[in-house]
Amino acid sequence: QLAESGGGLVQAGESLRLSCVGSGFEMNYFDMGWFRQAPGEEREGVSCILATDNSQYYLDSVKGRFTISRDDAKNTVYLQLLNLKPEDTAVYYCAARSKWRGTDAQAMCVETPEHWWGRGTQVTVSS
């Protein structure tokens, strides 16, 4: 099970830190990621991090503003969101996939049937 928290309503330029706590599994065996879905849009991979070497992938539009990290001892993955923009408004979902299923961090950020999902947390950025 994955449980996201940390979303909210902020103004453009402000920051948020999203957290995703895993339960029922050991996160160190899983690649982790954050996806988002804006109204009327497809869900897209925002940032992903591998279990083996912590290598990371970022969507071009968030590079330099978002940072993903993981603490396997706490079974938690984070997404730091800086300098938020109205176009970042979306429901943000945490995802996990067995590290044996993947190849690289960018591949982890492509949705597959093997991904596990949290329920999401809403991020709303006003202009």
Side-chain angles (χ1 to χ4, degrees):
Q1 195 172 23
L2 299 170
E4 303 96 334
S5 62
L9 171 62
V10 297
Q11 294 188 333
E14 293 186 339
S15 303
L16 285 171
R17 189 193 196 203
L18 307 184
S19 299
C20 170
V21 179
S23 58
F25 67 101
E26 293 183 39
M27 193 173 282
N28 58 304
Y29 291 108
F30 286 79
D31 298 331
M32 302 298 298
W34 289 94
F35 290 66
R36 69 185 180 187
Q37 187 169 23
E41 301 288 333
E42 298 281 322
R43 186 157 56 185
E44 62 179 356
V46 175
S47 182
C48 293
I49 185 168
L50 297 187
T52 51
D53 60 2
N54 280 351
S55 59
Q56 299 165 20
Y57 163 82
Y58 294 93
L59 188 66
D60 282 348
S61 61
V62 307
K63 284 180 180 177
R65 300 190 298 120
F66 292 8
T67 303
I68 193 169
S69 60
R70 60 190 294 157
D71 185 340
D72 290 343
K74 295 182 178 179
N75 243 35
T76 302
V77 63
Y78 305 96
L79 187 67
Q80 180 73 49
L81 293 70
L82 301 178
N83 189 23
L84 281 159
K85 303 177 180 181
E87 52 263 42
D88 295 319
T89 295
V91 178
Y92 283 71
Y93 296 91
C94 179
R97 187 178 67 180
S98 169
K99 69 178 185 179
W100 308 113
R101 296 283 188 178
T103 54
D104 57 35
Q106 184 172 5
M108 173 59 195
C109 266
V110 176
E111 189 171 337
T112 72
E114 287 76 35
H115 279 67
W116 299 356
W117 299 98
R119 291 190 172 189
T121 185
Q122 176 72 46
V123 172
T124 304
V125 185
S126 64
S127 58

